[in-house]
Amino acid sequence: MSVTTRRTRLAAAALAAITAIGGLAACGNDDDEPAAGEKPAKLVVDTFGEFGYDEIVKQYEKDTGIKVELRKTAQLGEYRPKLVRYLATGKGAADVVALEEGILNEFKANPRNWADLAPLVADHSKEYLPWKWELGKAPDGRLIGLPTDVGSLAVCYRKDLFQAAGLPTERDQVSALWADWKGFHEAGLKYKQGSGGKAFIDSITAVSNGVLFQQGSDLFYDKENNIIADTSPAVKNAWETATSMVDISAKAQTWSPEWSGGFKQGTFAATFCPSWMLGIVSDNSGAANKGKWDVAAVPGGGGNWGGSWLGVPEQSKYPKEAAKLAEYLTSAASQVEAFKAKGPLPTNLEALKNDAFLSYTNEYFSNAPTGKIFGESVAKIQPIHLGPKHQAVKENALEPALRAFENGQADKAKAWEQFTKDAKTQGAF
């Protein structure tokens, strides 16, 4: 056993002990326990970003008489620490919580924090993408998450800005501009020249995400969860590709006010769009830019960035009803409606074959056939091994180092050194 592996397992055991205490604390609130068979007046759902549940829960409320409170956190980076705190203290967690692929393995470390959904819902194991269903299981076999979406990749671009810069605007022609990442960079340089020096892409961290999640190999961790960020070919390729595009970047940090405002102001002309990003782009861009955006293929031909599961923390006072709500939100019908509302791409096999999904065109994005565009890529998606602290390494090591280079605070070599050093700290588990 390597030193890294031994440290990893010891740290995991320590965290498990801490979070187990939280789980026991939650079970100890006997005074607050509902009476047997008592129906909850309200269930709370915690999500990040936009899951498209606003209208769906209204029907659930009519059907069950149970109110649903949606607690939304804009960024995953803000969401994760809150969930860690809720589990560690044994209080505060919603009845249903979203678990994104980048943080899922971290929370699998202590399955006792989660209700086993298998005995609480019907057997849906054959109804979803097989690998997606399996990833919702903890090491002890309990089912801690029901599948929501996957993040099939595309490029969202501003047709009006492309036209003004002398670039093609039709999605097939735009896709043909960049069969690979070199072509994407060349298109960005043409845009910059034709637009009088304006930025083409929002940031190089967006580029790194696009490259990182289409390679189908180990990223920051190997299969034994040793940190390999400094030697991973996939990470190095993403780094080299991203840093090569600093000359076409608006240097707008993702989720920052400048980034959100940049969609409406035309600060950049393109960004990478996993399907769940469509709702965020349209919300940030506003009604005035409806019909100015469109969707094209991603360089390199595909990839998967993101995707989640819904779990029920053990501390929920109504685990049975919470599991039924999670089941409702991840059903075929709900996944189609969530996609139409905000873009999360279904993982339910029935939903992926649904005519309403396959024929759906997104009016905001110039009536792009987003059901067809994203749906055709689902079968090609392969799961990537993401280690227990993947999200922390990406958000607190890789992206800060890229931004330091992008903003001129460090040269490329120094920024890489910063990343590899911080990755070891952020990735320890």
Side-chain angles (χ1 to χ4, degrees):
M1 182 188 300
S2 70
V3 173
T4 304
T5 300
R6 185 163 59 252
R7 288 175 178 170
T8 295
R9 293 178 180 173
L10 287 171
L15 179 61
I18 293 171
T19 51
I21 292 171
L24 292 172
C27 296
N29 296 329
D30 294 334
D31 293 341
D32 297 328
E33 290 298 314
E38 180 182 339
K39 179 180 176 180
K42 180 178 74 172
L43 293 171
V44 181
V45 179
D46 272 352
T47 60
F48 53 89
E50 185 52 76
F51 276 60
Y53 290 157
D54 296 73
E55 295 301 317
I56 297 172
V57 298
K58 292 179 182 179
Q59 187 60 50
Y60 175 86
E61 291 173 337
K62 291 179 182 178
D63 293 343
T64 65
I66 300 172
K67 299 295 290 183
V68 177
E69 178 186 351
L70 297 177
R71 299 194 309 199
K72 301 180 184 181
T73 301
Q75 302 179 34
L76 182 61
E78 297 174 356
Y79 176 85
R80 177 193 158 275
K82 289 193 290 187
L83 183 54
V84 169
R85 184 171 67 252
Y86 296 152
L87 296 179
T89 60
K91 60 183 179 180
D95 298 286
V96 178
V97 302
L99 294 169
E100 199 264 351
E101 65 173 11
I103 65 174
L104 178 67
N105 285 337
E106 178 178 0
F107 293 107
K108 283 182 179 180
N110 185 22
R112 292 178 61 192
N113 278 329
W114 304 97
D116 185 0
L117 301 177
L120 301 178
V121 301
D123 181 6
H124 298 291
S125 58
K126 306 300 182 184
E127 299 174 19
Y128 296 85
L129 295 170
W131 62 266
K132 183 77 177 181
W133 179 265
E134 289 301 314
L135 285 174
K137 296 179 180 178
D140 67 351
R142 77 172 65 190
L143 182 66
I144 69 168
L146 297 179
T148 59
D149 62 313
V150 288
S152 183
L153 276 169
V155 176
C156 292
Y157 68 98
R158 280 278 296 265
K159 292 168 58 176
D160 58 329
L161 299 181
F162 271 44
Q163 183 176 28
L167 269 63
T169 59
E170 296 303 314
R171 64 183 68 95
D172 290 343
Q173 295 175 322
V174 171
S175 298
L177 289 175
W178 48 64
D180 54 23
W181 290 97
K182 180 180 179 182
F184 186 81
H185 189 206
E186 290 172 350
L189 293 174
K190 290 177 182 176
Y191 175 83
K192 186 174 181 179
Q193 182 178 17
S195 65
K198 293 182 179 179
F200 180 64
I201 192 74
D202 46 348
S203 69
I204 65 172
T205 59
V207 176
S208 73
N209 280 318
V211 180
L212 203 60
F213 292 111
Q214 66 176 189
Q215 298 182 88
S217 58
D218 295 340
L219 302 181
F220 304 129
Y221 295 83
D222 64 17
K223 295 297 190 296
E224 287 73 42
N225 285 333
N226 296 301
I227 301 170
I228 57 167
D230 57 340
T231 59
S232 166
V235 173
K236 189 64 173 178
N237 184 39
W239 176 272
E240 293 296 336
T241 304
T243 53
S244 73
M245 299 196 193
V246 68
D247 55 348
I248 59 171
S249 171
K251 304 177 183 179
Q253 181 176 340
T254 306
W255 310 117
S256 69
E258 293 77 16
W259 180 80
S260 299
F263 287 93
K264 185 176 294 185
Q265 298 159 6
T267 305
F268 43 86
T271 188
F272 294 100
C273 275
S275 49
W276 51 262
M277 184 72 83
L278 297 178
I280 295 170
V281 173
S282 59
D283 287 349
N284 284 339
S285 297
N289 287 314
K290 181 179 180 180
K292 295 180 181 179
W293 286 93
D294 209 327
V295 182
V298 70
N304 180 45
W305 172 11
S308 299
W309 292 256
L310 295 183
V312 175
E314 189 67 33
Q315 63 186 258
S316 172
K317 297 174 184 176
Y318 300 97
K320 183 176 180 180
E321 291 81 1
K324 291 294 184 184
L325 174 55
E327 182 180 36
Y328 183 90
L329 292 173
T330 55
S331 68
S334 293
Q335 288 200 1
V336 171
E337 291 307 309
F339 175 78
K340 290 163 64 177
K342 294 296 181 180
L345 183 62
T347 54
N348 183 289
L349 299 176
E350 181 183 335
L352 290 168
K353 297 175 182 176
N354 186 289
D355 288 340
F357 166 71
L358 292 171
S359 63
Y360 180 71
T361 58
N362 193 309
E363 187 178 1
Y364 193 92
F365 289 87
S366 304
N367 291 313
T370 50
K372 183 175 185 292
I373 289 172
F374 289 111
E376 288 180 346
S377 68
V378 171
K380 303 175 185 177
I381 293 175
Q382 297 296 323
I384 300 173
H385 175 71
L386 302 180
K389 298 292 287 294
H390 167 87
Q391 199 65 25
V393 175
K394 186 173 83 69
E395 292 189 348
N396 301 328
L398 178 62
E399 292 180 356
L402 284 169
R403 286 195 294 272
F405 169 71
E406 186 174 44
N407 294 324
Q409 298 166 335
D411 62 26
K412 186 175 171 181
K414 185 64 69 174
W416 175 259
E417 181 182 345
Q418 173 188 327
F419 159 61
T420 56
K421 177 183 177 182
D422 290 346
K424 293 176 182 178
T425 302
Q426 294 295 328
F429 187 68

